Amino acid sequence: MSKIITPLSEYKIKSAKPKQKDYKLFDGGGLFLLVKTNGTKLWRYKYTENGKENLKSLGKYPEVSLANARLNKESFKTNRSNITLRDVVTEFLATKEKSCRKNYFNQMVRRINFNIPEYLLSKPIADIEKTEIAQLIKQINKRSAYSANVILTYFNNFYELAEASGYIKMVPSLSPKFLITKPEAGHRAFLSDEYELSAFLKTIKHHKNQIAYLMFKFLIYTVLREAEARLLRWDEIDFKQRLLILPPSRMKNKKEHKQPLSDKAIEILQYLKELNGSYKYVFYSHNNKSHFNKNILFYVIKKSGYQGKQTTHGFRHIFSTWANNTFPELGQVIEKALAHKNPNKSEDAYNKAEHLLQREKLLSKWADYIDGIENI
């Protein structure tokens, strides 16, 4: 016959004195009060999952009363299966914020936001398949083996916390052995680590050719291709409508491209208007008496020590990754901003939506993000 447990009362809890060893006062249903030798009283909930006993901390008495401890137990029982990855990440960051330096903590938050997509953060952690994480790590590895290793370490930390809190049955084995390999450097290399990107932006900011630097920033803000930015003409800018209107002859997909301008992009153009407004090209080279040479930005990258690590086209990759992770519901808007050709010819023939307002808001947030990175 099982032992009948008499529920606790506030009087019994208040009367409990410390002893030579820790001891427990049971309330029933797995809830008990742990009385420590120093007099501290802690609420614990013992539950079984797949034959394994687990403990959940429910707070400290008297901050958490008997009634609230019982409510917390029931709430935990109800919500445990609905805990999302975001909930675990939030709990993880709360513990790290107290123990980490501010810069390191902010870097951690940025890396998580940049690399882990919204759909995964919103999913119950118990429902996330190991293959989903493996696929994400492999995707990040294509950009940066270092970042892939960091994010994989974070995931292992998330799962250890989730298991300790009783949100999952067991920690999946996530080894870097088969997931992370150092990618070969390509002509579209780009920096995926935000601190490296920040260092790059700070380096080119002090380049002796300030027009080249402004061209870089404008190219980043507008996510144009290198030639589209470098050969930009004043007659392709509509300041009133806050638009770039690039003719088909200048576009890779041979279609006119209208690109909204953020406040930061407008600011660069207004500054250059005072310097080069009487010339044909926005980024006018007084040495060439025309537009800049096509190798100017490559030269800036090389002199800054980032050859093979960052390319002009690489900023489009960075934008695409950031935008798709931050706003996964804006897929068509993002593709329009990048002036990508729609692979679905039938849809491309009928769907003429420009999404100009959404693109302007997206590019404004992107410009704020880039400036935030530069000022880390």
Side-chain angles (χ1 to χ4, degrees):
M1 183 176 178
S2 60
K3 183 179 178 181
I4 298 175
I5 297 175
T6 304
L8 291 174
S9 65
E10 286 286 348
Y11 175 77
K12 187 174 182 179
I13 294 170
K14 289 178 181 178
S15 301
K17 304 298 181 184
K19 298 180 180 180
Q20 290 184 343
K21 293 183 179 180
D22 296 349
Y23 66 97
K24 303 171 184 176
L25 296 176
F26 293 93
D27 187 59
L31 179 65
F32 65 88
L33 186 72
L34 177 64
V35 183
K36 307 285 286 183
T37 55
N38 62 1
T40 301
K41 299 172 182 178
L42 305 171
W43 290 111
R44 295 288 186 265
Y45 169 54
K46 183 172 72 173
Y47 61 98
T48 302
E49 191 168 59
N50 288 346
K52 181 181 176 182
E53 286 192 350
N54 297 279
L55 282 180
K56 170 67 178 174
S57 174
L58 297 179
K60 181 180 177 182
Y61 182 87
E63 285 85 348
V64 177
S65 66
L66 172 59
N68 284 335
R70 289 169 176 166
L71 288 173
N72 290 347
K73 180 193 77 171
E74 294 304 319
S75 177
F76 174 73
K77 287 169 63 178
T78 302
N79 297 327
R80 186 154 49 93
S81 61
N82 297 321
I83 295 294
T84 65
L85 176 59
R86 177 182 282 103
D87 295 327
V88 177
V89 171
T90 301
E91 193 173 334
F92 171 77
L93 291 175
T95 61
K96 288 296 181 182
E97 188 173 15
K98 299 174 183 177
S99 59
C100 294
R101 287 179 286 108
K102 185 176 180 180
N103 284 348
Y104 181 80
F105 176 77
N106 290 339
Q107 178 188 24
M108 187 183 300
V109 173
R110 287 179 181 276
R111 279 180 173 152
I112 291 170
N113 288 335
F114 184 78
N115 289 287
I116 303 179
E118 174 65 26
Y119 82 88
L120 212 54
L121 288 168
S122 302
K123 198 169 184 179
I125 190 167
D127 294 343
I128 296 176
E129 299 290 339
K130 182 178 175 180
T131 52
E132 291 181 275
I133 302 171
Q135 186 177 4
L136 175 64
I137 297 302
K138 287 179 180 179
Q139 181 182 345
I140 297 171
N141 181 65
K142 292 177 182 178
R143 297 187 276 107
S144 166
Y146 175 79
S147 292
N149 227 326
V150 170
I151 297 300
L152 183 60
T153 300
Y154 288 167
F155 266 105
N156 281 319
N157 290 334
F158 300 156
Y159 274 102
E160 287 174 6
L161 174 60
E163 185 190 38
S165 301
Y167 305 146
I168 58 173
K169 302 171 186 177
M170 60 182 294
V171 176
S173 175
L174 299 171
S175 169
K177 185 176 180 181
F178 302 108
L179 299 177
I180 301 174
T181 55
K182 189 174 181 180
E184 296 181 5
H187 69 290
R188 293 184 175 182
F190 61 99
L191 300 167
S192 60
D193 181 82
E194 291 181 330
Y195 272 70
E196 290 181 351
L197 182 57
S198 176
F200 170 74
L201 293 172
K202 288 173 182 174
T203 301
I204 65 170
K205 185 175 184 178
H206 299 291
H207 191 271
K208 62 181 181 180
N209 191 327
Q210 279 298 289
I211 302 298
Y213 165 70
L214 290 174
M215 190 196 308
F216 240 125
K217 287 304 290 285
F218 185 79
L219 177 145
I220 295 170
Y221 289 152
T222 57
V223 296
L224 296 177
R225 296 177 178 88
E226 181 271 337
E228 293 164 3
R230 181 171 53 84
L231 303 179
L232 185 66
R233 303 191 307 264
W234 288 113
D235 61 7
E236 294 173 337
I237 303 169
D238 186 333
F239 280 99
K240 187 175 181 180
Q241 298 293 324
R242 297 169 60 91
L243 283 176
L244 298 180
I245 305 175
L246 305 182
S249 59
R250 295 236 293 116
M251 299 304 299
K252 183 178 179 180
N253 62 8
K254 303 303 178 186
K255 291 185 177 181
E256 182 184 78
H257 180 56
K258 294 180 179 179
Q259 188 73 316
L261 294 166
S262 64
D263 288 341
K264 290 181 171 61
I266 291 283
E267 189 177 328
I268 290 175
L269 291 175
Q270 288 174 336
Y271 173 77
L272 291 173
K273 187 75 172 174
E274 295 182 9
L275 294 178
N276 300 331
S278 60
Y279 301 106
K280 179 179 179 180
Y281 295 100
V282 174
F283 299 101
Y284 182 80
S285 170
H286 290 271
N287 291 333
N288 297 339
K289 305 299 181 185
S290 183
H291 56 72
F292 273 95
N293 183 283
K294 67 179 181 179
N295 292 321
I296 180 63
L297 295 184
F298 171 77
Y299 174 79
V300 173
I301 292 172
K302 183 178 179 180
K303 283 296 182 181
S304 300
Y306 285 86
Q307 183 178 358
K309 298 178 182 178
Q310 179 65 49
T311 62
T312 54
H313 198 90
F315 283 105
R316 288 165 58 84
H317 286 265
I318 296 172
F319 166 76
S320 180
T321 301
W322 169 84
N324 279 290
N325 280 344
T326 310
F327 307 102
E329 73 282 3
L330 297 181
Q332 288 189 351
V333 177
I334 295 166
E335 291 302 293
K336 275 289 185 181
L338 290 165
H340 280 163
K341 186 176 181 180
N342 190 336
N344 188 324
K345 293 183 179 180
S346 177
E347 181 181 330
D348 188 47
Y350 289 98
N351 186 356
K352 303 300 182 183
E354 292 285 349
H355 307 291
L356 291 175
L357 182 58
Q358 288 175 292
R359 280 159 57 192
E360 182 178 355
K361 291 179 179 178
L362 176 65
L363 290 170
S364 293
K365 290 180 179 179
W366 163 245
D368 290 339
Y369 171 76
I370 284 295
D371 282 7
I373 292 293
E374 185 174 342
N375 295 320
I376 290 178

